[in-house]
Amino acid sequence: MTQIDKTKPVMVTGANGYVASWLVKKLLDEGMTVHAAVRDPKNTKKIEHLTEAAANSKGEIKFFKGDLNIPGSYKEAMEECELIYHTASPFTMDVKNPQKELIDPAVNGTENVLLSANETPSVKRIVVTSSCAAIYTDAIDTVNAPGGKLTEDVWNTTSSLEYQPYSYSKTLAEKKAWELAEKQEQWDLITINMSLVLGPALNAQNATSESINILKMLGGGDMKMGAPKMGIGLVDVRDVAEAHFKAGYTAEAKGRYITSAHSTNFLEMGMILLPKYGADFPLPKKALPKWLLMIFGPMTNKLFTRKLIRNNVNIPWNADNSKIKKELGMTFRPMKETMEDSFQTLIDEGILKAKK
């Protein structure tokens, strides 16, 4: 059991990220002092939404420079903190050099943060933002898991540098975190293993996220002929922030937590938006047949390899989220709310435009 003192500052790495921004807002609203580590504290455009959140809250924010690739660069931000949230990690599917762009920053960044914690006597708990990608690669893996669903005991064994390197980076980074946690007794480690995160972005204009790309594909016409029934898990960004908060401040919290609200697919996600947005946006109305995807998928999008299509399309995704509900008391928003709020944010920000 690790009781965290709420009067002590709390550090968040990658504080201006999609999930981290909501976590920082939650911490500020609870009256905490947040040590926000970002790549460039002088880039006001990328942090103004956090400054604004602090101004409208009981809490206080202090910005620090931190870089995943530089050992010791988070040390200053850690001073006096009992709790650390390590959320910073690259999230992109379209990479030229996976080792350099995904694996190195994810693994080295985790190692840098945790080794600095070993040298900071105040640190008692570290919550690492991992992913369901550290548990599985493709929807078929959930079908093949014991009992036909993912649990916290399952690890990803099917990704590699060549296939789904993003999943591979999350798996290696989380394994590194547990390896370092076992070598010391000063702090305990908790991981939040989330599925696909959607929901409104606090900084939509500057957000670089695969989540926003998926919404653009759904609403921008890429899927107007139909959407693949690719099995995935989905969770609201606001719920993910809440899960991080509870993981940090629940004394009994321990181990990994699958943070996923809904088992769904791209077609269902698009269909949920139809009643409200169907008149103005070219949303998908039917499923794309798997055989058609096998022929044309690899031509239209290099990420849509035949292996990916074979292992994900028309295959249900399933995960057991009972641990986080029971141990952290989590409840999740309905999918309709998540989808509509996400989509509306992109319209409000002018990222998606209604057809004339």
Side-chain angles (χ1 to χ4, degrees), residues 74-230:
Y74 292 102
K75 198 134 176 32
E76 191 193 346
M78 256 179 222
E79 294 302 327
E80 297 172 37
C81 297
E82 288 188 358
L83 174 61
I84 289 168
Y85 288 104
H86 176 42
T87 79
S89 189
F91 180 24
T92 175
M93 300 298 181
D94 191 8
V95 290
K96 289 178 179 62
N97 183 337
Q99 184 69 42
K100 200 168 145 216
E101 294 172 66
L102 290 173
I103 313 291
D104 292 347
V107 177
N108 298 347
T110 299
E111 188 168 37
N112 292 340
V113 171
L114 272 51
L115 289 179
S116 289
N118 287 348
E119 297 165 15
T120 311
S122 59
V123 176
K124 290 183 178 177
R125 173 169 283 180
I126 301 175
V127 179
V128 168
T129 307
S130 186
S131 168
C132 282
I135 300 178
Y136 87 111
T137 304
D138 295 311
I140 195 74
D141 298 340
T142 76
V143 176
N144 294 336
K149 60 171 92 168
L150 303 178
T151 66
E152 284 81 1
D153 296 328
V154 178
W155 279 89
N156 182 334
T157 57
T158 52
S159 61
S160 66
L161 204 52
E162 289 71 41
Y163 183 66
Q164 303 276 54
Y166 169 72
S167 300
Y168 192 51
S169 78
K170 295 308 282 187
T171 308
L172 293 180
E174 195 192 326
K175 283 197 162 160
K176 175 60 75 177
W178 287 112
E179 181 192 310
L180 292 169
E182 276 154 28
K183 288 180 181 164
Q184 55 74 57
E185 287 172 358
Q186 176 195 325
W187 43 266
D188 65 2
L189 174 66
I190 293 161
T191 63
I192 296 293
N193 296 76
M194 55 208 192
S195 56
L196 175 69
V197 182
L198 287 180
L202 285 174
N203 58 335
Q205 286 298 348
N206 288 302
T208 50
S209 170
E210 230 26 78
S211 312
I212 288 173
N213 292 342
I214 287 168
L215 288 167
K216 288 200 292 212
M217 279 164 65
L218 284 171
D222 290 12
M223 295 186 181
K224 64 171 184 278
M225 303 308 289
K229 287 175 87 169
M230 276 182 82

Side-chain angles (χ1 to χ4, degrees), residues 233-254:
L234 181 69
V235 63
D236 194 290
V237 67
R238 294 160 291 190
D239 293 339
V240 175
E242 182 70 27
H244 278 76
F245 181 81
K246 286 176 184 275
Y249 290 100
T250 304
E252 303 78 17
K254 61 183 184 301

Side-chain angles (χ1 to χ4, degrees), residues 3 29 49 55 66 83 113 128 255 265 270 281 294 296 314 316 356:
Q3 197 68 56
D29 289 345
H49 63 290
L83 174 61
V113 171
V128 168
N265 59 65
F281 292 90
M294 287 294 259
F296 295 108
N314 297 351
K356 295 285 183 282

